[in-house]
Amino acid sequence: MQIGIDSFAAAGLNPDTGQALGADLRLAQLLEEIEQADRSGIDVFGIGEHHRQEYLDSAPTLILAAAAARTTRIRLTSAVTVLSADDPVRVFQQFATLDLLSQGRAEMVVGRGSSVEAYPLFGYDLADYDALFAEKLDLLLLLREQPHVHWSGRHRSPLSGQGVYPRPLQVRLPIWLGVGGTPASFVRAGRLGLPLMVAIIGGDFRRFRPLVDLYRQAGEQAGHRPDQLQVGIHAFGFVGETSEQAISAYYPGYVQMMATVGRERGWSPPSRAQFEAMCGPAGPYLIGDAETVAEKVLYVNEVLGGVSRLTFQMTNLLMPHPDMLRAIDLLGTRVAPLVRARMGGHPASAVSVLG
């Protein structure tokens, strides 16, 4: 199993004063976090995409390119690219360039986005939410296979064989399909034979097993090999020296972030007691000391019938930078080795994970 980290590049607040950090300082810290992940043995680091004041990831490939110049082994991906509101040609060119800069370490996770601010910003109608994604994914996958594509659709001007360059260093640029809880999205990923990245931000992990099984069934029915149908999980996670310290460190920034989202979506953030329950053995959060988190990772792998990649959503508005660096180090040097030892192996290679 590969162990990764995802960041939404939250603008961040000074934990002592509550004042906003400068955007330049926060991005510098983020690059240090990716460097720490590279040194500590983390397999992959993902940057999200949002177009909001509280996040700094509206141009994730630029952040990833900066990280490529400062790292040597960690794989660099989006988490996720909002493909519906972008041009597949430009997306492919950007990630192909990132792949060249990183010497073959680029990937992308594409999706429709759980936040919808990109649609009006770039002139798209939310009524076309799914149609945009289906059409643009079709073009992106064609571009991955060959530089000269003949294609037409409703939402983009046609291509009549123009060359799309540069080409990536990897023979097939890895493309994962990011999904939430919509069965049709799981089926689509299976039919296309794409690796699946499931965002789980609440609820019991076990309730996603029928959806993961649906993905595998759709893939097998479409003729894809079982080893091609890889499952990744994205979930809140954080590692501390003790479980109590991890929960206490993560909760303040987490609850502030959730309060902001909750005001928009009509629900209240969890209380401390509810948060602690969600960090418990059957809860959706992987937060605790190294042993506790490793056990939770193994539990997720078991209940979902095998997981190829698990990425920790560690974004936290109030986390002191040194504490985040330490948590990343613990994840890479303590949690990942425990998981690999108990699973009897090493992290899967990019070739085996991504087909």
Short mmCIF file of all heavy atoms in Angstrom, two decimals, residues 78-133:
data_model
loop_
_atom_site.label_atom_id
_atom_site.label_comp_id
_atom_site.label_asym_id
_atom_site.label_seq_id
_atom_site.Cartn_x
_atom_site.Cartn_y
_atom_site.Cartn_z
N SER A 78 -2.46 15.84 -8.33
CA SER A 78 -3.55 16.73 -7.94
C SER A 78 -4.49 15.99 -7.01
O SER A 78 -4.47 14.76 -6.94
CB SER A 78 -4.31 17.22 -9.18
OG SER A 78 -4.81 16.12 -9.92
N ALA A 79 -5.34 16.77 -6.32
CA ALA A 79 -6.24 16.13 -5.35
C ALA A 79 -7.48 16.99 -5.08
O ALA A 79 -7.67 17.41 -3.96
CB ALA A 79 -5.47 15.88 -4.05
N VAL A 80 -8.34 17.25 -6.04
CA VAL A 80 -8.36 16.77 -7.42
C VAL A 80 -8.28 17.94 -8.39
O VAL A 80 -8.52 19.08 -8.00
CB VAL A 80 -9.65 15.99 -7.73
CG1 VAL A 80 -9.88 14.83 -6.76
CG2 VAL A 80 -10.89 16.90 -7.68
N THR A 81 -8.01 17.61 -9.66
CA THR A 81 -8.18 18.57 -10.75
C THR A 81 -9.65 18.65 -11.12
O THR A 81 -10.28 17.62 -11.42
CB THR A 81 -7.36 18.12 -11.97
OG1 THR A 81 -5.97 18.13 -11.64
CG2 THR A 81 -7.62 19.03 -13.16
N VAL A 82 -10.22 19.86 -11.09
CA VAL A 82 -11.63 20.03 -11.43
C VAL A 82 -11.73 20.07 -12.96
O VAL A 82 -11.79 21.14 -13.58
CB VAL A 82 -12.22 21.30 -10.79
CG1 VAL A 82 -13.73 21.39 -11.07
CG2 VAL A 82 -11.98 21.31 -9.28
N LEU A 83 -11.75 18.90 -13.56
CA LEU A 83 -11.66 18.78 -15.01
C LEU A 83 -12.87 19.40 -15.70
O LEU A 83 -12.74 19.96 -16.80
CB LEU A 83 -11.53 17.30 -15.40
CG LEU A 83 -11.33 16.99 -16.87
CD1 LEU A 83 -10.03 17.60 -17.38
CD2 LEU A 83 -11.34 15.49 -17.11
N SER A 84 -14.03 19.34 -15.08
CA SER A 84 -15.25 19.87 -15.71
C SER A 84 -15.13 21.34 -16.06
O SER A 84 -15.75 21.82 -17.00
CB SER A 84 -16.45 19.67 -14.78
OG SER A 84 -16.57 18.33 -14.38
N ALA A 85 -14.35 22.10 -15.27
CA ALA A 85 -14.25 23.54 -15.46
C ALA A 85 -12.91 23.94 -16.07
O ALA A 85 -12.50 25.10 -15.99
CB ALA A 85 -14.44 24.25 -14.13
N ASP A 86 -12.24 23.00 -16.70
CA ASP A 86 -10.93 23.28 -17.29
C ASP A 86 -10.90 22.73 -18.71
O ASP A 86 -11.83 22.06 -19.16
CB ASP A 86 -9.82 22.63 -16.45
CG ASP A 86 -8.52 23.42 -16.49
OD1 ASP A 86 -8.28 24.13 -17.49
OD2 ASP A 86 -7.75 23.32 -15.52
N ASP A 87 -9.83 23.02 -19.41
CA ASP A 87 -9.64 22.55 -20.78
C ASP A 87 -8.75 21.32 -20.74
O ASP A 87 -7.60 21.40 -20.28
CB ASP A 87 -8.99 23.65 -21.62
CG ASP A 87 -8.79 23.25 -23.07
OD1 ASP A 87 -9.00 22.07 -23.41
OD2 ASP A 87 -8.41 24.11 -23.87
N PRO A 88 -9.22 20.17 -21.18
CA PRO A 88 -8.39 18.96 -21.12
C PRO A 88 -7.05 19.09 -21.83
O PRO A 88 -6.07 18.46 -21.40
CB PRO A 88 -9.27 17.90 -21.80
CG PRO A 88 -10.66 18.41 -21.64
CD PRO A 88 -10.57 19.90 -21.70
N VAL A 89 -6.98 19.88 -22.89
CA VAL A 89 -5.71 20.06 -23.57
C VAL A 89 -4.71 20.74 -22.64
O VAL A 89 -3.56 20.31 -22.50
CB VAL A 89 -5.89 20.88 -24.86
CG1 VAL A 89 -4.54 21.22 -25.49
CG2 VAL A 89 -6.74 20.09 -25.87
N ARG A 90 -5.13 21.82 -21.99
CA ARG A 90 -4.24 22.53 -21.08
C ARG A 90 -3.90 21.67 -19.86
O ARG A 90 -2.75 21.67 -19.39
CB ARG A 90 -4.88 23.84 -20.63
CG ARG A 90 -5.04 24.86 -21.73
CD ARG A 90 -3.69 25.25 -22.33
NE ARG A 90 -2.93 26.12 -21.43
CZ ARG A 90 -1.60 26.20 -21.39
NH1 ARG A 90 -0.87 25.43 -22.18
NH2 ARG A 90 -1.00 27.02 -20.57
N VAL A 91 -4.87 20.93 -19.35
CA VAL A 91 -4.60 20.04 -18.22
C VAL A 91 -3.52 19.03 -18.60
O VAL A 91 -2.55 18.82 -17.85
CB VAL A 91 -5.88 19.33 -17.76
CG1 VAL A 91 -5.56 18.20 -16.78
CG2 VAL A 91 -6.85 20.32 -17.11
N PHE A 92 -3.67 18.43 -19.77
CA PHE A 92 -2.69 17.43 -20.19
C PHE A 92 -1.31 18.08 -20.37
O PHE A 92 -0.30 17.53 -19.93
CB PHE A 92 -3.12 16.76 -21.50
CG PHE A 92 -2.15 15.69 -21.94
CD1 PHE A 92 -2.25 14.41 -21.42
CD2 PHE A 92 -1.13 15.97 -22.83
CE1 PHE A 92 -1.34 13.42 -21.78
CE2 PHE A 92 -0.23 14.99 -23.20
CZ PHE A 92 -0.33 13.72 -22.68
N GLN A 93 -1.26 19.23 -21.01
CA GLN A 93 0.02 19.90 -21.22
C GLN A 93 0.70 20.25 -19.89
O GLN A 93 1.92 20.09 -19.74
CB GLN A 93 -0.18 21.16 -22.05
CG GLN A 93 -0.55 20.90 -23.50
CD GLN A 93 -0.90 22.17 -24.25
OE1 GLN A 93 -1.47 23.11 -23.68
NE2 GLN A 93 -0.57 22.22 -25.53
N GLN A 94 -0.07 20.72 -18.94
CA GLN A 94 0.50 21.11 -17.65
C GLN A 94 1.08 19.90 -16.92
O GLN A 94 2.20 19.96 -16.38
CB GLN A 94 -0.56 21.80 -16.80
CG GLN A 94 -0.94 23.18 -17.31
CD GLN A 94 -2.26 23.68 -16.76
OE1 GLN A 94 -2.87 23.04 -15.90
NE2 GLN A 94 -2.71 24.82 -17.24
N PHE A 95 0.33 18.80 -16.90
CA PHE A 95 0.82 17.63 -16.18
C PHE A 95 1.92 16.91 -16.95
O PHE A 95 2.80 16.29 -16.33
CB PHE A 95 -0.34 16.71 -15.82
CG PHE A 95 -1.06 17.16 -14.58
CD1 PHE A 95 -2.14 18.02 -14.67
CD2 PHE A 95 -0.64 16.76 -13.33
CE1 PHE A 95 -2.79 18.47 -13.54
CE2 PHE A 95 -1.29 17.19 -12.18
CZ PHE A 95 -2.37 18.05 -12.28
N ALA A 96 1.89 16.97 -18.26
CA ALA A 96 3.00 16.42 -19.04
C ALA A 96 4.28 17.19 -18.75
O ALA A 96 5.37 16.60 -18.60
CB ALA A 96 2.68 16.46 -20.53
N THR A 97 4.17 18.51 -18.66
CA THR A 97 5.33 19.33 -18.31
C THR A 97 5.81 19.01 -16.91
O THR A 97 7.03 18.88 -16.66
CB THR A 97 4.97 20.82 -18.42
OG1 THR A 97 4.52 21.10 -19.75
CG2 THR A 97 6.18 21.70 -18.12
N LEU A 98 4.88 18.88 -15.96
CA LEU A 98 5.25 18.48 -14.60
C LEU A 98 5.95 17.13 -14.60
O LEU A 98 6.92 16.92 -13.86
CB LEU A 98 3.99 18.43 -13.72
CG LEU A 98 4.18 17.91 -12.29
CD1 LEU A 98 5.10 18.83 -11.50
CD2 LEU A 98 2.83 17.75 -11.60
N ASP A 99 5.50 16.21 -15.42
CA ASP A 99 6.13 14.90 -15.48
C ASP A 99 7.57 15.01 -15.96
O ASP A 99 8.47 14.32 -15.44
CB ASP A 99 5.32 13.99 -16.42
CG ASP A 99 5.63 12.53 -16.19
OD1 ASP A 99 5.56 12.09 -15.03
OD2 ASP A 99 5.95 11.83 -17.17
N LEU A 100 7.82 15.87 -16.94
CA LEU A 100 9.19 16.07 -17.41
C LEU A 100 10.06 16.72 -16.34
O LEU A 100 11.20 16.31 -16.11
CB LEU A 100 9.17 16.92 -18.68
CG LEU A 100 8.47 16.30 -19.90
CD1 LEU A 100 8.31 17.33 -21.00
CD2 LEU A 100 9.23 15.08 -20.41
N LEU A 101 9.53 17.73 -15.68
CA LEU A 101 10.28 18.42 -14.63
C LEU A 101 10.62 17.49 -13.47
O LEU A 101 11.68 17.62 -12.85
CB LEU A 101 9.49 19.62 -14.11
CG LEU A 101 9.34 20.81 -15.06
CD1 LEU A 101 8.33 21.80 -14.50
CD2 LEU A 101 10.69 21.49 -15.27
N SER A 102 9.72 16.57 -13.17
CA SER A 102 9.89 15.68 -12.01
C SER A 102 10.55 14.36 -12.38
O SER A 102 10.67 13.48 -11.52
CB SER A 102 8.54 15.41 -11.36
OG SER A 102 7.68 14.69 -12.24
N GLN A 103 10.95 14.21 -13.63
CA GLN A 103 11.56 12.95 -14.09
C GLN A 103 10.62 11.76 -13.91
O GLN A 103 10.99 10.71 -13.41
CB GLN A 103 12.88 12.70 -13.37
CG GLN A 103 13.97 13.70 -13.73
CD GLN A 103 14.42 13.54 -15.19
OE1 GLN A 103 14.94 12.49 -15.59
NE2 GLN A 103 14.21 14.58 -15.99
N GLY A 104 9.35 11.96 -14.33
CA GLY A 104 8.40 10.86 -14.36
C GLY A 104 7.67 10.59 -13.07
O GLY A 104 7.25 9.45 -12.82
N ARG A 105 7.42 11.64 -12.27
CA ARG A 105 6.74 11.45 -10.98
C ARG A 105 5.35 12.08 -10.93
O ARG A 105 4.73 12.14 -9.86
CB ARG A 105 7.60 12.02 -9.85
CG ARG A 105 8.89 11.26 -9.62
CD ARG A 105 9.65 11.79 -8.41
NE ARG A 105 10.37 13.03 -8.71
CZ ARG A 105 10.33 14.11 -7.95
NH1 ARG A 105 9.59 14.14 -6.85
NH2 ARG A 105 11.02 15.18 -8.26
N ALA A 106 4.83 12.55 -12.05
CA ALA A 106 3.55 13.25 -12.05
C ALA A 106 2.38 12.29 -12.21
O ALA A 106 2.47 11.28 -12.90
CB ALA A 106 3.52 14.29 -13.17
N GLU A 107 1.28 12.65 -11.56
CA GLU A 107 0.00 11.96 -11.71
C GLU A 107 -1.08 13.02 -11.64
O GLU A 107 -0.82 14.16 -11.28
CB GLU A 107 -0.22 10.94 -10.60
CG GLU A 107 0.87 9.91 -10.45
CD GLU A 107 0.57 8.89 -9.36
OE1 GLU A 107 -0.54 8.97 -8.77
OE2 GLU A 107 1.43 8.05 -9.10
N MET A 108 -2.31 12.61 -11.90
CA MET A 108 -3.44 13.49 -11.63
C MET A 108 -4.63 12.68 -11.17
O MET A 108 -4.81 11.52 -11.55
CB MET A 108 -3.81 14.35 -12.85
CG MET A 108 -4.41 13.59 -14.00
SD MET A 108 -4.87 14.69 -15.38
CE MET A 108 -3.34 14.71 -16.31
N VAL A 109 -5.40 13.29 -10.27
CA VAL A 109 -6.72 12.77 -9.90
C VAL A 109 -7.72 13.76 -10.44
O VAL A 109 -7.67 14.95 -10.11
CB VAL A 109 -6.87 12.64 -8.37
CG1 VAL A 109 -8.25 12.08 -8.03
CG2 VAL A 109 -5.77 11.76 -7.79
N VAL A 110 -8.61 13.32 -11.31
CA VAL A 110 -9.57 14.23 -11.93
C VAL A 110 -10.96 13.96 -11.36
O VAL A 110 -11.31 12.84 -11.03
CB VAL A 110 -9.59 14.10 -13.47
CG1 VAL A 110 -8.23 14.47 -14.04
CG2 VAL A 110 -9.98 12.70 -13.91
N GLY A 111 -11.75 15.02 -11.26
CA GLY A 111 -13.10 14.88 -10.74
C GLY A 111 -13.93 16.10 -11.08
O GLY A 111 -13.48 17.02 -11.79
N ARG A 112 -15.14 16.13 -10.56
CA ARG A 112 -16.05 17.24 -10.81
C ARG A 112 -15.95 18.32 -9.74
O ARG A 112 -16.40 19.44 -9.95
CB ARG A 112 -17.49 16.71 -10.89
CG ARG A 112 -17.70 15.75 -12.06
CD ARG A 112 -19.08 15.14 -12.05
NE ARG A 112 -19.30 14.28 -10.89
CZ ARG A 112 -20.39 13.55 -10.70
NH1 ARG A 112 -21.37 13.59 -11.60
NH2 ARG A 112 -20.52 12.79 -9.64
N GLY A 113 -15.35 17.97 -8.60
CA GLY A 113 -15.17 18.94 -7.53
C GLY A 113 -16.36 18.98 -6.59
O GLY A 113 -17.52 19.02 -7.03
N SER A 114 -16.08 18.95 -5.28
CA SER A 114 -17.16 19.05 -4.30
C SER A 114 -17.56 20.49 -4.06
O SER A 114 -18.65 20.78 -3.58
CB SER A 114 -16.74 18.41 -2.97
OG SER A 114 -15.60 19.05 -2.44
N SER A 115 -16.65 21.43 -4.37
CA SER A 115 -16.98 22.86 -4.36
C SER A 115 -17.20 23.31 -5.79
O SER A 115 -16.48 22.89 -6.69
CB SER A 115 -15.83 23.66 -3.73
OG SER A 115 -15.62 23.27 -2.39
N VAL A 116 -18.17 24.18 -5.99
CA VAL A 116 -18.61 24.46 -7.36
C VAL A 116 -18.24 25.87 -7.83
O VAL A 116 -18.70 26.30 -8.89
CB VAL A 116 -20.13 24.25 -7.50
CG1 VAL A 116 -20.49 22.80 -7.24
CG2 VAL A 116 -20.90 25.18 -6.55
N GLU A 117 -17.39 26.58 -7.09
CA GLU A 117 -17.09 27.96 -7.46
C GLU A 117 -16.37 28.08 -8.80
O GLU A 117 -16.41 29.13 -9.45
CB GLU A 117 -16.26 28.64 -6.37
CG GLU A 117 -14.87 28.08 -6.17
CD GLU A 117 -14.80 26.90 -5.24
OE1 GLU A 117 -15.84 26.50 -4.69
OE2 GLU A 117 -13.69 26.36 -5.06
N ALA A 118 -15.70 27.01 -9.25
CA ALA A 118 -14.97 27.07 -10.52
C ALA A 118 -15.91 27.21 -11.72
O ALA A 118 -15.53 27.78 -12.74
CB ALA A 118 -14.10 25.83 -10.69
N TYR A 119 -17.13 26.69 -11.60
CA TYR A 119 -18.03 26.68 -12.76
C TYR A 119 -18.43 28.09 -13.19
O TYR A 119 -18.19 28.48 -14.35
CB TYR A 119 -19.25 25.81 -12.46
CG TYR A 119 -18.89 24.34 -12.34
CD1 TYR A 119 -18.38 23.82 -11.16
CD2 TYR A 119 -19.05 23.48 -13.42
CE1 TYR A 119 -18.03 22.48 -11.04
CE2 TYR A 119 -18.70 22.14 -13.31
CZ TYR A 119 -18.19 21.64 -12.14
OH TYR A 119 -17.84 20.33 -12.03
N PRO A 120 -19.02 28.90 -12.34
CA PRO A 120 -19.33 30.27 -12.78
C PRO A 120 -18.08 31.11 -13.05
O PRO A 120 -18.10 31.99 -13.91
CB PRO A 120 -20.15 30.85 -11.61
CG PRO A 120 -19.80 30.02 -10.43
CD PRO A 120 -19.52 28.65 -10.96
N LEU A 121 -17.00 30.83 -12.32
CA LEU A 121 -15.77 31.60 -12.52
C LEU A 121 -15.25 31.47 -13.94
O LEU A 121 -14.76 32.44 -14.54
CB LEU A 121 -14.70 31.14 -11.52
CG LEU A 121 -13.36 31.86 -11.57
CD1 LEU A 121 -13.52 33.34 -11.20
CD2 LEU A 121 -12.37 31.18 -10.62
N PHE A 122 -15.38 30.28 -14.51
CA PHE A 122 -14.86 30.04 -15.85
C PHE A 122 -15.97 29.95 -16.91
O PHE A 122 -15.73 29.50 -18.03
CB PHE A 122 -14.00 28.78 -15.86
CG PHE A 122 -12.77 28.92 -15.00
CD1 PHE A 122 -12.63 28.19 -13.82
CD2 PHE A 122 -11.77 29.81 -15.34
CE1 PHE A 122 -11.51 28.33 -13.02
CE2 PHE A 122 -10.64 29.96 -14.55
CZ PHE A 122 -10.51 29.22 -13.39
N GLY A 123 -17.18 30.36 -16.54
CA GLY A 123 -18.24 30.50 -17.52
C GLY A 123 -18.99 29.24 -17.85
O GLY A 123 -19.57 29.13 -18.94
N TYR A 124 -19.04 28.28 -16.92
CA TYR A 124 -19.77 27.04 -17.16
C TYR A 124 -21.07 27.00 -16.38
O TYR A 124 -21.17 27.60 -15.29
CB TYR A 124 -18.90 25.83 -16.79
CG TYR A 124 -17.71 25.66 -17.70
CD1 TYR A 124 -16.44 26.06 -17.29
CD2 TYR A 124 -17.85 25.12 -18.98
CE1 TYR A 124 -15.34 25.91 -18.12
CE2 TYR A 124 -16.76 24.98 -19.81
CZ TYR A 124 -15.51 25.37 -19.38
OH TYR A 124 -14.43 25.24 -20.21
N ASP A 125 -22.03 26.29 -16.91
CA ASP A 125 -23.35 26.17 -16.30
C ASP A 125 -23.37 24.93 -15.41
O ASP A 125 -23.06 23.82 -15.87
CB ASP A 125 -24.41 26.05 -17.41
CG ASP A 125 -25.83 26.15 -16.87
OD1 ASP A 125 -26.05 25.90 -15.67
OD2 ASP A 125 -26.73 26.45 -17.67
N LEU A 126 -23.77 25.09 -14.14
CA LEU A 126 -23.83 23.95 -13.23
C LEU A 126 -24.83 22.90 -13.69
O LEU A 126 -24.74 21.74 -13.28
CB LEU A 126 -24.19 24.43 -11.82
CG LEU A 126 -23.00 24.80 -10.93
CD1 LEU A 126 -23.50 25.42 -9.64
CD2 LEU A 126 -22.15 23.58 -10.64
N ALA A 127 -25.76 23.28 -14.54
CA ALA A 127 -26.71 22.29 -15.07
C ALA A 127 -25.99 21.25 -15.92
O ALA A 127 -26.51 20.15 -16.14
CB ALA A 127 -27.78 22.99 -15.90
N ASP A 128 -24.78 21.59 -16.39
CA ASP A 128 -24.00 20.67 -17.22
C ASP A 128 -22.94 19.94 -16.40
O ASP A 128 -21.96 19.41 -16.96
CB ASP A 128 -23.31 21.44 -18.35
CG ASP A 128 -24.30 22.08 -19.30
OD1 ASP A 128 -25.35 21.47 -19.56
OD2 ASP A 128 -24.03 23.20 -19.78
N TYR A 129 -23.12 19.91 -15.09
CA TYR A 129 -22.12 19.39 -14.15
C TYR A 129 -21.54 18.05 -14.59
O TYR A 129 -20.32 17.88 -14.68
CB TYR A 129 -22.80 19.26 -12.79
CG TYR A 129 -21.94 18.80 -11.63
CD1 TYR A 129 -21.02 19.66 -11.03
CD2 TYR A 129 -22.08 17.52 -11.11
CE1 TYR A 129 -20.26 19.23 -9.95
CE2 TYR A 129 -21.32 17.09 -10.03
CZ TYR A 129 -20.41 17.96 -9.46
OH TYR A 129 -19.66 17.54 -8.39
N ASP A 130 -22.38 17.07 -14.87
CA ASP A 130 -21.87 15.74 -15.23
C ASP A 130 -21.51 15.65 -16.71
O ASP A 130 -20.52 15.00 -17.07
CB ASP A 130 -22.90 14.66 -14.88
CG ASP A 130 -22.30 13.27 -15.02
OD1 ASP A 130 -21.36 12.95 -14.26
OD2 ASP A 130 -22.74 12.51 -15.90
N ALA A 131 -22.28 16.29 -17.57
CA ALA A 131 -22.00 16.22 -19.01
C ALA A 131 -20.63 16.82 -19.33
O ALA A 131 -19.89 16.29 -20.17
CB ALA A 131 -23.09 16.94 -19.80
N LEU A 132 -20.29 17.90 -18.66
CA LEU A 132 -18.98 18.51 -18.85
C LEU A 132 -17.87 17.53 -18.49
O LEU A 132 -16.89 17.37 -19.24
CB LEU A 132 -18.85 19.76 -17.98
CG LEU A 132 -19.52 21.03 -18.47
CD1 LEU A 132 -19.65 22.04 -17.33
CD2 LEU A 132 -18.74 21.64 -19.63
N PHE A 133 -18.04 16.87 -17.37
CA PHE A 133 -16.98 15.97 -16.92
C PHE A 133 -16.83 14.77 -17.85
O PHE A 133 -15.71 14.40 -18.23
CB PHE A 133 -17.25 15.49 -15.50
CG PHE A 133 -16.17 14.60 -14.96
CD1 PHE A 133 -14.93 15.11 -14.63
CD2 PHE A 133 -16.39 13.24 -14.80
CE1 PHE A 133 -13.92 14.30 -14.15
CE2 PHE A 133 -15.39 12.41 -14.32
CZ PHE A 133 -14.15 12.94 -13.99
#
